[in-house]
Coordinates of all heavy atoms in Angstrom, one line a residue:
M1 N -24.8 73.1 11.3 CA -24.0 71.9 11.5 C -24.0 71.4 12.9 O -23.9 72.2 13.9 CB -22.5 72.3 11.1 CG -21.6 71.1 11.2 SD -20.2 71.4 10.1 CE -18.9 71.4 11.2
N2 N -24.3 70.2 13.1 CA -24.5 69.6 14.4 C -23.1 69.3 15.0 O -22.2 68.9 14.3 CB -25.3 68.3 14.3 CG -25.8 67.8 15.6 OD1 -25.5 68.3 16.6 ND2 -26.7 66.8 15.5
W3 N -23.0 69.4 16.3 CA -21.7 69.1 17.0 C -21.4 67.6 16.9 O -20.2 67.3 17.0 CB -21.7 69.7 18.4 CG -22.7 69.0 19.3 CD1 -24.0 69.3 19.5 CD2 -22.4 68.0 20.3 NE1 -24.6 68.5 20.4 CE2 -23.6 67.7 20.9 CE3 -21.3 67.2 20.6 CZ2 -23.7 66.7 21.9 CZ3 -21.4 66.2 21.6 CH2 -22.6 66.0 22.2
W4 N -22.4 66.8 16.8 CA -22.1 65.3 16.6 C -21.3 65.0 15.3 O -20.6 64.0 15.3 CB -23.4 64.5 16.6 CG -23.8 64.2 18.0 CD1 -24.9 64.7 18.7 CD2 -23.2 63.2 18.9 NE1 -25.0 64.2 20.0 CE2 -23.9 63.3 20.1 CE3 -22.1 62.4 18.9 CZ2 -23.6 62.5 21.2 CZ3 -21.8 61.6 19.9 CH2 -22.5 61.7 21.1
T5 N -21.6 65.8 14.3 CA -20.9 65.6 13.0 C -19.4 65.8 13.2 O -18.6 65.3 12.4 CB -21.4 66.5 11.9 OG1 -21.4 67.9 12.3 CG2 -22.9 66.1 11.6
V6 N -19.0 66.6 14.2 CA -17.5 66.9 14.4 C -17.0 65.9 15.5 O -15.9 65.3 15.3 CB -17.3 68.3 14.9 CG1 -15.9 68.6 15.3 CG2 -17.8 69.3 13.8
V7 N -17.8 65.6 16.5 CA -17.3 64.8 17.6 C -17.3 63.3 17.3 O -16.3 62.6 17.7 CB -18.1 65.1 18.9 CG1 -17.7 64.1 20.0 CG2 -18.0 66.5 19.3
A8 N -18.3 62.8 16.6 CA -18.4 61.4 16.3 C -17.2 60.9 15.5 O -16.6 59.8 15.8 CB -19.7 61.1 15.5
P9 N -16.7 61.6 14.4 CA -15.5 61.1 13.7 C -14.3 61.1 14.6 O -13.4 60.2 14.5 CB -15.3 62.0 12.5 CG -16.7 62.6 12.3 CD -17.3 62.6 13.7
L10 N -14.2 62.1 15.5 CA -13.0 62.2 16.4 C -13.1 61.0 17.4 O -12.0 60.3 17.7 CB -13.1 63.5 17.2 CG -12.7 64.7 16.4 CD1 -12.8 66.0 17.3 CD2 -11.3 64.6 15.9
I11 N -14.2 60.7 17.9 CA -14.4 59.5 18.9 C -14.0 58.2 18.1 O -13.4 57.4 18.7 CB -15.8 59.5 19.5 CG1 -16.0 60.7 20.4 CG2 -16.0 58.2 20.2 CD1 -17.4 60.9 21.0
A12 N -14.6 58.1 16.9 CA -14.3 56.9 16.1 C -12.8 56.8 15.8 O -12.2 55.7 15.9 CB -15.1 56.9 14.9
G13 N -12.2 57.9 15.5 CA -10.7 57.9 15.2 C -9.9 57.5 16.5 O -9.0 56.7 16.4
L14 N -10.3 58.1 17.6 CA -9.6 57.7 18.9 C -9.8 56.2 19.2 O -8.9 55.5 19.6 CB -10.1 58.6 20.0 CG -9.7 60.0 20.0 CD1 -10.4 60.8 21.1 CD2 -8.1 60.1 20.2
A15 N -11.0 55.7 19.0 CA -11.3 54.3 19.3 C -10.5 53.4 18.4 O -9.8 52.4 18.8 CB -12.8 54.0 19.1
L16 N -10.4 53.8 17.1 CA -9.6 53.0 16.1 C -8.1 53.1 16.5 O -7.4 52.1 16.4 CB -9.8 53.6 14.7 CG -9.2 52.9 13.6 CD1 -9.7 51.5 13.5 CD2 -9.4 53.6 12.2
F17 N -7.6 54.3 16.8 CA -6.2 54.4 17.3 C -5.9 53.5 18.5 O -4.9 52.8 18.5 CB -5.9 55.9 17.6 CG -4.6 56.1 18.1 CD1 -3.5 56.1 17.3 CD2 -4.3 56.4 19.5 CE1 -2.2 56.3 17.7 CE2 -3.1 56.6 19.9 CZ -2.0 56.5 19.1
Y18 N -6.8 53.5 19.4 CA -6.6 52.7 20.7 C -6.6 51.2 20.3 O -5.8 50.4 20.8 CB -7.8 53.0 21.6 CG -7.7 52.2 22.9 CD1 -6.7 52.5 23.9 CD2 -8.6 51.2 23.2 CE1 -6.6 51.8 25.0 CE2 -8.5 50.5 24.4 CZ -7.5 50.8 25.3 OH -7.4 50.1 26.5
V19 N -7.5 50.8 19.5 CA -7.6 49.4 19.0 C -6.4 48.9 18.3 O -5.8 47.9 18.5 CB -8.9 49.1 18.2 CG1 -8.8 47.7 17.5 CG2 -10.1 49.2 19.1
Q20 N -5.8 49.8 17.4 CA -4.6 49.5 16.7 C -3.4 49.4 17.6 O -2.5 48.6 17.4 CB -4.4 50.6 15.6 CG -5.3 50.5 14.4 CD -5.2 51.7 13.5 OE1 -4.6 52.7 13.8 NE2 -5.7 51.5 12.3
R21 N -3.4 50.3 18.6 CA -2.3 50.2 19.6 C -2.3 48.9 20.4 O -1.3 48.2 20.6 CB -2.3 51.3 20.6 CG -1.8 52.6 20.0 CD -1.5 53.7 21.0 NE -0.6 53.2 22.0 CZ -0.2 53.9 23.0 NH1 -0.7 55.1 23.2 NH2 0.6 53.4 23.9
I22 N -3.5 48.5 20.8 CA -3.7 47.2 21.4 C -3.3 46.0 20.5 O -2.6 45.1 21.0 CB -5.1 47.0 22.0 CG1 -5.4 48.0 23.1 CG2 -5.4 45.6 22.5 CD1 -6.8 48.0 23.6
A23 N -3.7 46.1 19.3 CA -3.3 45.1 18.3 C -1.8 45.0 18.1 O -1.2 43.9 18.0 CB -4.1 45.3 17.0
A24 N -1.2 46.2 18.0 CA 0.3 46.2 17.8 C 1.0 45.6 19.0 O 2.0 44.9 18.9 CB 0.7 47.6 17.6
R25 N 0.5 45.9 20.2 CA 1.1 45.4 21.4 C 0.9 43.9 21.5 O 1.9 43.1 21.8 CB 0.5 46.1 22.6 CG 1.3 45.9 23.9 CD 0.7 46.6 25.1 NE 0.5 48.1 24.8 CZ -0.5 48.8 25.3 NH1 -1.4 48.2 26.1 NH2 -0.6 50.1 25.0
A26 N -0.2 43.4 21.1 CA -0.5 41.9 21.0 C 0.4 41.3 20.0 O 0.9 40.2 20.3 CB -1.9 41.7 20.7
D27 N 0.6 41.9 18.9 CA 1.6 41.4 17.8 C 3.0 41.3 18.4 O 3.7 40.3 18.1 CB 1.5 42.2 16.6 CG 0.2 42.1 15.8 OD1 -0.5 41.1 16.0 OD2 0.0 42.9 14.9
K28 N 3.4 42.3 19.1 CA 4.8 42.3 19.7 C 4.9 41.1 20.7 O 5.9 40.4 20.7 CB 5.1 43.6 20.4 CG 5.4 44.7 19.4 CD 5.8 46.0 20.1 CE 6.0 47.1 19.2 NZ 6.3 48.4 19.9
E29 N 3.9 40.9 21.5 CA 3.9 39.9 22.5 C 3.9 38.5 21.7 O 4.6 37.6 22.2 CB 2.7 39.9 23.4 CG 2.8 41.1 24.4 CD 4.0 41.0 25.3 OE1 4.3 39.9 25.8 OE2 4.7 42.1 25.6
A30 N 3.1 38.4 20.7 CA 3.1 37.2 19.9 C 4.5 36.9 19.3 O 4.9 35.7 19.3 CB 2.0 37.2 18.9
E31 N 5.1 37.9 18.8 CA 6.5 37.7 18.2 C 7.5 37.3 19.3 O 8.3 36.4 19.0 CB 6.9 39.0 17.5 CG 6.2 39.3 16.2 CD 6.6 40.7 15.7 OE1 7.6 41.3 16.2 OE2 6.0 41.1 14.8
K32 N 7.4 37.9 20.4 CA 8.3 37.5 21.5 C 8.0 36.0 21.9 O 9.0 35.3 22.1 CB 8.1 38.4 22.8 CG 8.6 39.8 22.7 CD 8.3 40.6 23.9 CE 8.7 42.0 23.8 NZ 8.4 42.8 25.0
A33 N 6.8 35.6 22.0 CA 6.5 34.3 22.3 C 7.0 33.3 21.3 O 7.5 32.2 21.6 CB 4.9 34.1 22.5
E34 N 6.8 33.7 20.0 CA 7.3 32.9 18.9 C 8.8 32.7 19.0 O 9.4 31.6 18.8 CB 6.9 33.5 17.6 CG 7.3 32.7 16.4 CD 6.6 31.3 16.3 OE1 5.5 31.2 16.8 OE2 7.2 30.4 15.7
L35 N 9.6 33.8 19.3 CA 11.0 33.7 19.5 C 11.4 32.8 20.6 O 12.3 32.0 20.5 CB 11.6 35.1 19.7 CG 11.6 36.0 18.4 CD1 12.1 37.4 18.9 CD2 12.6 35.4 17.4
R36 N 10.7 32.9 21.8 CA 10.9 32.0 22.9 C 10.7 30.6 22.5 O 11.4 29.7 22.9 CB 10.1 32.4 24.1 CG 10.6 33.7 24.8 CD 9.9 33.9 26.1 NE 8.4 34.0 26.0 CZ 7.8 35.1 26.0 NH1 8.4 36.2 26.1 NH2 6.5 35.1 25.9
H37 N 9.6 30.4 21.8 CA 9.2 29.0 21.3 C 10.3 28.4 20.4 O 10.8 27.3 20.6 CB 7.9 29.1 20.6 CG 7.4 27.7 20.2 ND1 7.0 26.8 21.1 CD2 7.3 27.1 18.9 CE1 6.7 25.7 20.4 NE2 6.8 25.9 19.1
R38 N 10.8 29.2 19.5 CA 11.9 28.7 18.6 C 13.2 28.4 19.4 O 13.8 27.4 19.1 CB 12.2 29.8 17.6 CG 11.2 29.9 16.4 CD 11.7 30.8 15.3 NE 10.6 31.3 14.6 CZ 10.4 32.6 14.2 NH1 11.4 33.5 14.4 NH2 9.3 33.0 13.5
E39 N 13.5 29.3 20.4 CA 14.7 29.1 21.2 C 14.5 27.8 22.0 O 15.5 27.0 22.1 CB 14.9 30.3 22.1 CG 16.2 30.2 22.9 CD 16.4 31.5 23.7 OE1 16.1 32.6 23.2 OE2 16.7 31.3 24.9
L40 N 13.4 27.6 22.5 CA 13.1 26.3 23.3 C 13.2 25.1 22.4 O 13.7 24.1 22.8 CB 11.8 26.4 24.0 CG 11.7 27.3 25.2 CD1 10.3 27.4 25.7 CD2 12.6 26.8 26.3
E41 N 12.7 25.2 21.2 CA 12.8 24.1 20.2 C 14.2 23.8 19.9 O 14.6 22.6 19.8 CB 12.0 24.5 18.9 CG 10.5 24.3 19.0 CD 9.8 24.6 17.7 OE1 10.5 25.2 16.8 OE2 8.7 24.2 17.6
K42 N 15.1 24.9 19.7 CA 16.5 24.6 19.5 C 17.1 23.9 20.6 O 17.9 23.0 20.5 CB 17.2 26.0 19.2 CG 16.9 26.6 17.9 CD 17.6 27.9 17.7 CE 17.2 28.6 16.4 NZ 17.8 29.9 16.3
R43 N 16.8 24.4 21.9 CA 17.4 23.7 23.0 C 17.0 22.2 23.1 O 17.8 21.4 23.4 CB 16.9 24.4 24.3 CG 17.6 25.7 24.5 CD 17.1 26.3 25.8 NE 17.6 27.7 26.0 CZ 17.2 28.5 27.0 NH1 16.4 28.0 27.9 NH2 17.7 29.7 27.1
V44 N 15.7 22.0 22.9 CA 15.2 20.6 22.9 C 15.9 19.8 21.9 O 16.3 18.6 22.2 CB 13.7 20.6 22.8 CG1 13.2 19.2 22.5 CG2 13.0 21.2 24.0
S45 N 16.0 20.3 20.7 CA 16.6 19.5 19.6 C 18.1 19.2 19.9 O 18.6 18.1 19.7 CB 16.5 20.1 18.3 OG 17.2 21.3 18.2
S46 N 18.8 20.2 20.5 CA 20.2 20.0 20.9 C 20.3 19.0 22.0 O 21.2 18.1 22.0 CB 20.9 21.3 21.2 OG 20.4 21.8 22.5
L47 N 19.4 19.0 23.0 CA 19.4 18.0 24.0 C 19.1 16.7 23.5 O 19.7 15.7 23.9 CB 18.4 18.4 25.2 CG 18.8 19.6 26.0 CD1 17.7 20.0 27.0 CD2 20.1 19.3 26.8
E48 N 18.2 16.6 22.6 CA 17.9 15.3 22.0 C 19.1 14.7 21.2 O 19.4 13.5 21.4 CB 16.7 15.4 20.9 CG 15.3 15.6 21.6 CD 14.2 15.9 20.6 OE1 14.5 16.2 19.4 OE2 13.1 15.8 21.0
L49 N 19.8 15.6 20.5 CA 21.0 15.1 19.8 C 22.0 14.7 20.8 O 22.7 13.7 20.6 CB 21.6 16.2 18.9 CG 20.7 16.6 17.7 CD1 21.3 17.8 17.0 CD2 20.6 15.3 16.8
K50 N 22.2 15.4 21.9 CA 23.1 15.0 23.0 C 22.8 13.7 23.6 O 23.7 12.8 23.8 CB 23.1 16.1 24.0 CG 24.2 15.9 25.1 CD 24.1 17.1 26.1 CE 25.1 16.8 27.2 NZ 25.1 17.9 28.2
V51 N 21.5 13.4 23.9 CA 21.1 12.2 24.5 C 21.3 11.0 23.5 O 21.8 10.0 23.9 CB 19.6 12.3 24.8 CG1 19.0 10.9 25.1 CG2 19.4 13.2 26.0
V52 N 21.0 11.3 22.2 CA 21.2 10.2 21.2 C 22.7 9.9 21.1 O 23.1 8.8 21.0 CB 20.6 10.6 19.8 CG1 21.1 9.7 18.7 CG2 19.1 10.6 19.9
A53 N 23.5 10.9 21.1 CA 25.0 10.7 21.0 C 25.5 10.0 22.2 O 26.5 9.2 22.1 CB 25.7 12.1 20.9
E54 N 25.0 10.2 23.4 CA 25.5 9.5 24.6 C 24.9 8.1 24.8 O 25.3 7.4 25.7 CB 25.2 10.4 25.8 CG 26.0 11.7 25.8 CD 25.6 12.6 27.0 OE1 24.7 12.2 27.8 OE2 26.3 13.6 27.1
M55 N 23.9 7.8 24.0 CA 23.3 6.4 24.2 C 24.2 5.4 23.7 O 24.9 5.5 22.7 CB 22.0 6.3 23.4 CG 20.8 7.0 24.0 SD 19.3 6.9 23.0 CE 19.0 5.2 23.0
P56 N 24.4 4.3 24.5 CA 25.3 3.2 24.0 C 24.7 2.5 22.8 O 23.5 2.3 22.7 CB 25.3 2.3 25.2 CG 24.1 2.6 26.1 CD 23.8 4.0 25.8
S57 N 25.6 2.1 21.9 CA 25.2 1.4 20.7 C 25.1 -0.1 21.0 O 25.4 -0.6 22.1 CB 26.2 1.7 19.6 OG 27.5 1.1 20.0
R58 N 24.7 -0.8 20.0 CA 24.6 -2.3 20.2 C 26.0 -2.9 20.4 O 26.1 -3.8 21.2 CB 24.0 -2.9 19.0 CG 22.5 -2.7 18.9 CD 21.9 -3.4 17.7 NE 20.5 -3.3 17.7 CZ 19.6 -4.0 17.0 NH1 20.1 -4.9 16.3 NH2 18.4 -3.7 17.0
E59 N 27.0 -2.3 19.8 CA 28.3 -2.8 20.0 C 28.8 -2.6 21.4 O 29.5 -3.4 22.0 CB 29.3 -2.1 19.0 CG 29.2 -2.6 17.6 CD 29.4 -4.1 17.4 OE1 30.4 -4.6 18.1 OE2 28.7 -4.8 16.7
D60 N 28.4 -1.4 22.0 CA 28.7 -1.2 23.4 C 28.1 -2.2 24.3 O 28.7 -2.7 25.2 CB 28.3 0.2 23.8 CG 29.0 1.3 23.1 OD1 30.2 1.1 22.6 OD2 28.5 2.5 22.9
F61 N 26.8 -2.5 24.0 CA 26.1 -3.6 24.8 C 26.8 -4.9 24.7 O 27.0 -5.6 25.6 CB 24.6 -3.6 24.4 CG 23.8 -2.5 25.0 CD1 23.0 -1.7 24.1 CD2 23.7 -2.3 26.3 CE1 22.2 -0.7 24.7 CE2 23.0 -1.3 26.9 CZ 22.2 -0.5 26.0
K62 N 27.2 -5.2 23.4 CA 27.8 -6.5 23.2 C 29.2 -6.6 23.9 O 29.5 -7.6 24.5 CB 28.0 -6.8 21.7 CG 26.7 -7.1 20.9 CD 27.0 -7.3 19.5 CE 25.7 -7.5 18.7 NZ 25.9 -7.6 17.3
D63 N 29.9 -5.5 23.8 CA 31.2 -5.4 24.5 C 31.0 -5.6 26.0 O 31.8 -6.3 26.6 CB 31.9 -4.1 24.1 CG 33.3 -4.0 24.7 OD1 34.0 -5.1 24.6 OD2 33.7 -3.0 25.2
Q64 N 30.1 -4.9 26.5 CA 29.8 -5.0 28.0 C 29.4 -6.4 28.3 O 29.8 -6.9 29.4 CB 28.7 -4.0 28.4 CG 28.6 -3.8 29.9 CD 27.6 -2.8 30.2 OE1 26.8 -2.3 29.4 NE2 27.6 -2.3 31.5
S65 N 28.6 -7.0 27.5 CA 28.2 -8.4 27.8 C 29.4 -9.4 27.8 O 29.5 -10.3 28.6 CB 27.1 -8.9 26.7 OG 26.0 -8.2 26.9
R66 N 30.3 -9.2 26.8 CA 31.5 -10.0 26.8 C 32.3 -9.8 28.0 O 32.9 -10.8 28.6 CB 32.3 -9.6 25.5 CG 31.8 -10.2 24.3 CD 32.8 -10.0 23.1 NE 31.9 -9.5 22.0 CZ 32.0 -8.4 21.4 NH1 32.9 -7.5 21.7 NH2 31.2 -8.1 20.4
R67 N 32.5 -8.5 28.5 CA 33.2 -8.3 29.7 C 32.6 -9.0 30.9 O 33.3 -9.5 31.7 CB 33.3 -6.8 30.0 CG 34.2 -6.1 29.0 CD 34.2 -4.6 29.3 NE 35.0 -3.8 28.3 CZ 35.0 -2.5 28.3 NH1 34.3 -1.8 29.1 NH2 35.7 -1.9 27.3
I68 N 31.2 -8.9 31.0 CA 30.5 -9.5 32.1 C 30.8 -11.0 32.1 O 31.0 -11.7 33.1 CB 29.1 -9.1 32.1 CG1 28.9 -7.6 32.4 CG2 28.2 -10.0 33.0 CD1 27.5 -7.1 32.2
E69 N 30.7 -11.6 30.9 CA 30.9 -13.0 30.7 C 32.3 -13.4 31.1 O 32.5 -14.5 31.8 CB 30.6 -13.5 29.3 CG 29.1 -13.4 29.0 CD 28.8 -13.7 27.5 OE1 29.8 -14.0 26.8 OE2 27.7 -13.6 27.1
A70 N 33.3 -12.6 30.8 CA 34.7 -12.9 31.1 C 34.9 -12.8 32.6 O 35.5 -13.7 33.2 CB 35.6 -11.9 30.4
I71 N 34.2 -11.8 33.3 CA 34.3 -11.7 34.7 C 33.6 -12.9 35.4 O 34.2 -13.5 36.4 CB 33.7 -10.4 35.2 CG1 34.6 -9.2 34.7 CG2 33.6 -10.3 36.7 CD1 34.0 -7.8 35.0
A72 N 32.5 -13.3 34.9 CA 31.8 -14.4 35.5 C 32.6 -15.7 35.3 O 32.6 -16.5 36.2 CB 30.4 -14.6 34.8
S73 N 33.2 -15.9 34.2 CA 34.1 -17.0 34.0 C 35.3 -17.0 35.0 O 35.6 -18.1 35.6 CB 34.6 -17.0 32.5 OG 35.5 -18.1 32.4
T74 N 35.9 -15.9 35.1 CA 37.0 -15.8 36.0 C 36.5 -16.1 37.5 O 37.2 -16.8 38.3 CB 37.6 -14.4 36.0 OG1 38.0 -14.1 34.7 CG2 38.8 -14.3 36.9
L75 N 35.4 -15.6 37.9 CA 34.8 -15.8 39.2 C 34.5 -17.3 39.4 O 34.8 -17.9 40.5 CB 33.6 -15.0 39.5 CG 33.9 -13.5 39.7 CD1 32.5 -12.7 39.8 CD2 34.7 -13.3 40.9
S76 N 34.0 -18.0 38.4 CA 33.8 -19.4 38.4 C 35.1 -20.2 38.7 O 35.1 -21.1 39.4 CB 33.1 -19.9 37.2 OG 31.8 -19.3 37.0
E77 N 36.1 -19.8 37.9 CA 37.4 -20.5 38.1 C 38.0 -20.2 39.5 O 38.5 -21.2 40.1 CB 38.4 -19.9 37.1 CG 38.1 -20.3 35.6 CD 39.1 -19.6 34.6 OE1 40.1 -19.1 35.1 OE2 38.8 -19.6 33.5
V78 N 37.8 -19.1 40.0 CA 38.3 -18.8 41.4 C 37.5 -19.6 42.4 O 38.1 -20.2 43.3 CB 38.2 -17.2 41.7 CG1 38.4 -17.0 43.1 CG2 39.2 -16.5 40.8
R79 N 36.2 -19.6 42.2 CA 35.3 -20.4 43.1 C 35.7 -21.9 43.1 O 35.9 -22.5 44.1 CB 33.9 -20.3 42.7 CG 32.9 -21.0 43.6 CD 31.6 -21.3 43.0 NE 31.7 -22.2 41.9 CZ 31.0 -22.1 40.8 NH1 30.0 -21.3 40.7 NH2 31.1 -23.0 39.8
D80 N 36.0 -22.5 41.9 CA 36.4 -23.8 41.8 C 37.8 -24.0 42.4 O 38.0 -25.1 43.1 CB 36.5 -24.2 40.3 CG 35.2 -24.3 39.6 OD1 34.2 -24.3 40.3 OD2 35.1 -24.3 38.4
M81 N 38.7 -23.1 42.3 CA 40.0 -23.2 43.0 C 39.8 -23.2 44.5 O 40.5 -24.0 45.2 CB 40.9 -22.1 42.5 CG 41.4 -22.2 41.1 SD 42.3 -20.7 40.5 CE 43.5 -20.4 41.8
V82 N 39.0 -22.3 45.0 CA 38.8 -22.3 46.4 C 38.1 -23.6 46.9 O 38.5 -24.1 48.0 CB 37.9 -21.1 46.8 CG1 37.4 -21.1 48.2 CG2 38.6 -19.8 46.5
I83 N 37.2 -24.1 46.2 CA 36.6 -25.4 46.6 C 37.6 -26.5 46.6 O 37.6 -27.3 47.5 CB 35.4 -25.7 45.6 CG1 34.2 -24.8 45.8 CG2 34.9 -27.2 45.8 CD1 33.1 -24.9 44.8
R84 N 38.5 -26.5 45.6 CA 39.6 -27.5 45.6 C 40.5 -27.4 46.7 O 40.9 -28.4 47.4 CB 40.3 -27.5 44.3 CG 39.6 -28.3 43.1 CD 40.5 -28.3 41.9 NE 39.8 -27.5 40.9 CZ 40.4 -26.5 40.2 NH1 41.7 -26.3 40.2 NH2 39.7 -25.8 39.3
M85 N 40.9 -26.1 47.0 CA 41.8 -25.9 48.1 C 41.1 -26.3 49.5 O 41.8 -26.9 50.3 CB 42.2 -24.4 48.2 CG 43.1 -24.0 47.1 SD 43.5 -22.2 47.0 CE 44.2 -22.0 48.6
D86 N 39.8 -26.0 49.6 CA 39.2 -26.4 50.8 C 39.1 -27.9 51.0 O 39.3 -28.5 52.1 CB 37.7 -25.8 50.9 CG 37.7 -24.4 51.3 OD1 38.7 -23.8 51.8 OD2 36.6 -23.7 51.0
S87 N 38.8 -28.6 49.9 CA 38.8 -30.1 49.9 C 40.1 -30.7 50.2 O 40.2 -31.7 51.0 CB 38.2 -30.6 48.6 OG 39.1 -30.4 47.6
R88 N 41.3 -30.1 49.8 CA 42.6 -30.6 50.1 C 42.9 -30.3 51.6 O 43.5 -31.2 52.2 CB 43.6 -29.8 49.2 CG 43.7 -30.3 47.8 CD 44.7 -29.5 47.1 NE 44.5 -29.7 45.6 CZ 45.0 -28.9 44.7 NH1 45.7 -27.8 45.1 NH2 44.9 -29.1 43.4
E89 N 42.5 -29.2 52.1 CA 42.7 -28.9 53.5 C 42.0 -29.9 54.4 O 42.5 -30.3 55.4 CB 42.4 -27.4 53.8 CG 43.4 -26.5 53.2 CD 43.0 -25.0 53.5 OE1 42.0 -24.8 54.2 OE2 43.7 -24.1 53.0
T90 N 40.7 -30.2 54.0 CA 40.0 -31.1 54.8 C 40.5 -32.5 54.8 O 40.5 -33.3 55.8 CB 38.5 -31.1 54.4 OG1 38.3 -31.0 53.1 CG2 37.7 -30.1 55.2
K91 N 41.1 -32.9 53.7 CA 41.7 -34.2 53.5 C 43.0 -34.3 54.3 O 43.4 -35.4 54.8 CB 41.9 -34.6 52.0 CG 40.7 -34.9 51.3 CD 41.0 -35.2 49.8 CE 39.8 -35.5 49.0 NZ 40.1 -35.8 47.6
G92 N 43.7 -33.2 54.2 CA 45.1 -33.2 54.8 C 45.2 -32.9 56.2 O 45.1 -33.4 57.2

């Protein structure tokens, strides 16, 4: 019986064991990365929902436009009053 017949299967077994350990370690790292990826996806989706919830609606824009128009109208009235007062003072 040749000594290679004993040593060769042992070397092959050790190599197989080593490769399996590396593969198991890689699988664990892949699982960890997948979990981190899922967690990040959850965070992104919650942030997207938050942004959508905070976005003003069309009604908000319309309401803001009405307010701006009301302020502009009031400022125009005040400007007209000031012009009239100035014209009275210059006449008087």
